[in-house]
Short mmCIF file of all heavy atoms in Angstrom, two decimals:
data_model
loop_
_atom_site.label_atom_id
_atom_site.label_comp_id
_atom_site.label_asym_id
_atom_site.label_seq_id
_atom_site.Cartn_x
_atom_site.Cartn_y
_atom_site.Cartn_z
N GLY Q 45 -7.27 -11.55 7.57
CA GLY Q 45 -8.28 -10.75 6.87
C GLY Q 45 -8.80 -9.65 7.78
O GLY Q 45 -8.75 -9.76 9.01
N GLY Q 46 -9.26 -8.59 7.17
CA GLY Q 46 -10.00 -7.57 7.90
C GLY Q 46 -9.19 -6.66 8.80
O GLY Q 46 -9.75 -5.94 9.61
N VAL Q 47 -7.85 -6.65 8.64
CA VAL Q 47 -7.05 -5.78 9.51
C VAL Q 47 -6.88 -4.38 8.92
O VAL Q 47 -6.30 -3.50 9.56
CB VAL Q 47 -5.65 -6.39 9.81
CG1 VAL Q 47 -5.77 -7.65 10.62
CG2 VAL Q 47 -4.87 -6.64 8.52
N GLY Q 48 -7.37 -4.21 7.70
CA GLY Q 48 -7.30 -2.88 7.08
C GLY Q 48 -6.29 -2.76 5.95
O GLY Q 48 -5.85 -1.66 5.63
N LYS Q 49 -5.97 -3.89 5.30
CA LYS Q 49 -5.00 -3.84 4.19
C LYS Q 49 -5.44 -2.88 3.10
O LYS Q 49 -4.66 -2.04 2.65
CB LYS Q 49 -4.87 -5.23 3.53
CG LYS Q 49 -4.24 -6.29 4.36
CD LYS Q 49 -4.24 -7.63 3.64
CE LYS Q 49 -5.62 -8.19 3.42
NZ LYS Q 49 -6.35 -8.52 4.65
N THR Q 50 -6.71 -3.04 2.66
CA THR Q 50 -7.16 -2.23 1.53
C THR Q 50 -7.23 -0.76 1.93
O THR Q 50 -6.82 0.12 1.18
CB THR Q 50 -8.53 -2.75 1.03
OG1 THR Q 50 -8.41 -4.15 0.81
CG2 THR Q 50 -8.94 -2.07 -0.25
N THR Q 51 -7.72 -0.51 3.14
CA THR Q 51 -7.79 0.86 3.65
C THR Q 51 -6.40 1.48 3.68
O THR Q 51 -6.20 2.62 3.24
CB THR Q 51 -8.37 0.85 5.09
OG1 THR Q 51 -9.60 0.13 5.07
CG2 THR Q 51 -8.58 2.24 5.62
N ASP Q 73 -6.97 -8.48 -4.95
CA ASP Q 73 -8.00 -9.31 -4.33
C ASP Q 73 -9.03 -9.64 -5.41
O ASP Q 73 -10.04 -8.96 -5.56
CB ASP Q 73 -8.64 -8.57 -3.15
CG ASP Q 73 -9.39 -9.51 -2.23
OD1 ASP Q 73 -9.73 -10.63 -2.68
OD2 ASP Q 73 -9.64 -9.14 -1.06
N MET Q 82 -13.71 1.58 -2.17
CA MET Q 82 -12.99 2.54 -1.31
C MET Q 82 -12.58 3.80 -2.06
O MET Q 82 -12.39 4.85 -1.45
CB MET Q 82 -11.78 1.87 -0.68
CG MET Q 82 -12.21 0.80 0.32
SD MET Q 82 -10.93 0.46 1.49
CE MET Q 82 -11.62 -0.98 2.31
N PRO Q 151 -6.67 -11.41 1.65
CA PRO Q 151 -6.35 -12.04 2.94
C PRO Q 151 -5.65 -13.38 2.73
O PRO Q 151 -5.80 -14.02 1.69
CB PRO Q 151 -7.72 -12.23 3.59
CG PRO Q 151 -8.74 -12.01 2.54
CD PRO Q 151 -8.11 -11.19 1.48
N ASN Q 203 -2.33 -0.98 12.32
CA ASN Q 203 -3.60 -0.30 12.07
C ASN Q 203 -4.56 -0.54 13.22
O ASN Q 203 -4.41 -1.51 13.97
CB ASN Q 203 -4.21 -0.81 10.75
CG ASN Q 203 -5.43 -0.02 10.33
OD1 ASN Q 203 -5.54 1.18 10.59
ND2 ASN Q 203 -6.38 -0.69 9.71
N MET Q 204 -5.54 0.33 13.37
CA MET Q 204 -6.53 0.26 14.47
C MET Q 204 -5.75 0.20 15.79
O MET Q 204 -6.05 -0.59 16.68
CB MET Q 204 -7.45 -0.94 14.31
CG MET Q 204 -8.09 -1.03 12.93
SD MET Q 204 -9.51 -2.11 12.91
CE MET Q 204 -9.50 -2.64 11.20
N ILE Q 239 -1.70 3.64 12.93
CA ILE Q 239 -2.88 4.34 12.43
C ILE Q 239 -4.00 4.14 13.45
O ILE Q 239 -4.30 2.99 13.81
CB ILE Q 239 -3.34 3.76 11.06
CG1 ILE Q 239 -2.16 3.61 10.08
CG2 ILE Q 239 -4.47 4.61 10.48
CD1 ILE Q 239 -1.50 4.87 9.63
N PRO Q 240 -4.59 5.22 13.93
CA PRO Q 240 -5.65 5.06 14.95
C PRO Q 240 -6.94 4.49 14.37
O PRO Q 240 -7.15 4.51 13.16
CB PRO Q 240 -5.88 6.49 15.44
CG PRO Q 240 -5.46 7.35 14.30
CD PRO Q 240 -4.36 6.62 13.58
N ILE Q 241 -7.79 3.99 15.25
CA ILE Q 241 -9.18 3.69 14.86
C ILE Q 241 -9.89 5.03 14.79
O ILE Q 241 -9.86 5.80 15.76
CB ILE Q 241 -9.89 2.83 15.92
CG1 ILE Q 241 -9.18 1.48 16.08
CG2 ILE Q 241 -11.36 2.62 15.57
CD1 ILE Q 241 -9.76 0.63 17.19
N TYR Q 242 -10.47 5.32 13.66
CA TYR Q 242 -11.05 6.65 13.48
C TYR Q 242 -12.27 6.49 12.58
O TYR Q 242 -12.14 5.99 11.45
CB TYR Q 242 -9.98 7.55 12.85
CG TYR Q 242 -10.36 9.00 12.70
CD1 TYR Q 242 -10.94 9.71 13.75
CD2 TYR Q 242 -10.12 9.66 11.51
CE1 TYR Q 242 -11.27 11.05 13.59
CE2 TYR Q 242 -10.43 11.00 11.35
CZ TYR Q 242 -11.01 11.69 12.40
OH TYR Q 242 -11.34 13.01 12.24
N ILE Q 245 -12.36 7.17 8.88
CA ILE Q 245 -11.63 6.23 8.00
C ILE Q 245 -12.62 5.21 7.45
O ILE Q 245 -12.70 4.96 6.25
CB ILE Q 245 -10.48 5.52 8.74
CG1 ILE Q 245 -9.40 6.52 9.13
CG2 ILE Q 245 -9.89 4.40 7.88
CD1 ILE Q 245 -8.19 5.91 9.84
N ARG Q 246 -13.43 4.65 8.37
CA ARG Q 246 -14.43 3.66 7.94
C ARG Q 246 -15.46 4.31 7.04
O ARG Q 246 -15.84 3.76 5.99
CB ARG Q 246 -15.07 3.02 9.18
CG ARG Q 246 -15.78 1.72 8.93
CD ARG Q 246 -17.23 1.90 8.48
NE ARG Q 246 -17.96 2.77 9.40
CZ ARG Q 246 -18.99 3.52 9.04
NH1 ARG Q 246 -19.41 3.55 7.79
NH2 ARG Q 246 -19.61 4.29 9.92
N SER Q 249 -14.10 4.77 3.64
CA SER Q 249 -14.01 3.50 2.90
C SER Q 249 -15.35 3.15 2.28
O SER Q 249 -15.43 2.62 1.18
CB SER Q 249 -13.61 2.35 3.83
OG SER Q 249 -12.34 2.56 4.38
N1 ATP Y 301 -7.99 2.68 11.18
C1 ATP Y 301 -9.27 2.41 10.95
N2 ATP Y 301 -10.26 3.07 11.60
C2 ATP Y 301 -11.57 2.78 11.38
N3 ATP Y 301 -11.98 1.84 10.51
C3 ATP Y 301 -11.04 1.15 9.85
C4 ATP Y 301 -9.65 1.39 10.01
N4 ATP Y 301 -8.96 0.57 9.19
C5 ATP Y 301 -9.89 -0.16 8.54
N5 ATP Y 301 -11.13 0.17 8.92
C6 ATP Y 301 -12.40 -0.43 8.48
O1 ATP Y 301 -12.32 -1.83 8.74
C7 ATP Y 301 -12.93 -2.57 7.72
C8 ATP Y 301 -11.93 -3.57 7.13
O2 ATP Y 301 -10.92 -2.85 6.45
P1 ATP Y 301 -10.30 -3.37 5.07
O3 ATP Y 301 -11.37 -3.81 4.13
O4 ATP Y 301 -9.35 -2.33 4.61
O5 ATP Y 301 -9.51 -4.63 5.60
P2 ATP Y 301 -8.77 -5.76 4.74
O6 ATP Y 301 -7.64 -6.25 5.58
O7 ATP Y 301 -8.43 -5.24 3.39
O8 ATP Y 301 -9.91 -6.84 4.62
P3 ATP Y 301 -9.89 -8.16 3.67
O9 ATP Y 301 -9.03 -9.15 4.39
O10 ATP Y 301 -11.32 -8.55 3.60
O11 ATP Y 301 -9.32 -7.74 2.35
C9 ATP Y 301 -13.43 -1.54 6.70
O12 ATP Y 301 -14.78 -1.28 6.95
C10 ATP Y 301 -12.60 -0.31 6.98
O13 ATP Y 301 -13.29 0.89 6.67
#
Side-chain angles (χ1 to χ4, degrees):
V47 294
K49 292 177 294 296
T50 308
T51 307
D73 197 341
M82 292 202 189
N203 187 32
M204 309 197 207
I239 312 295
I241 298 175
Y242 185 47
I245 294 182
R246 198 274 308 152
S249 298

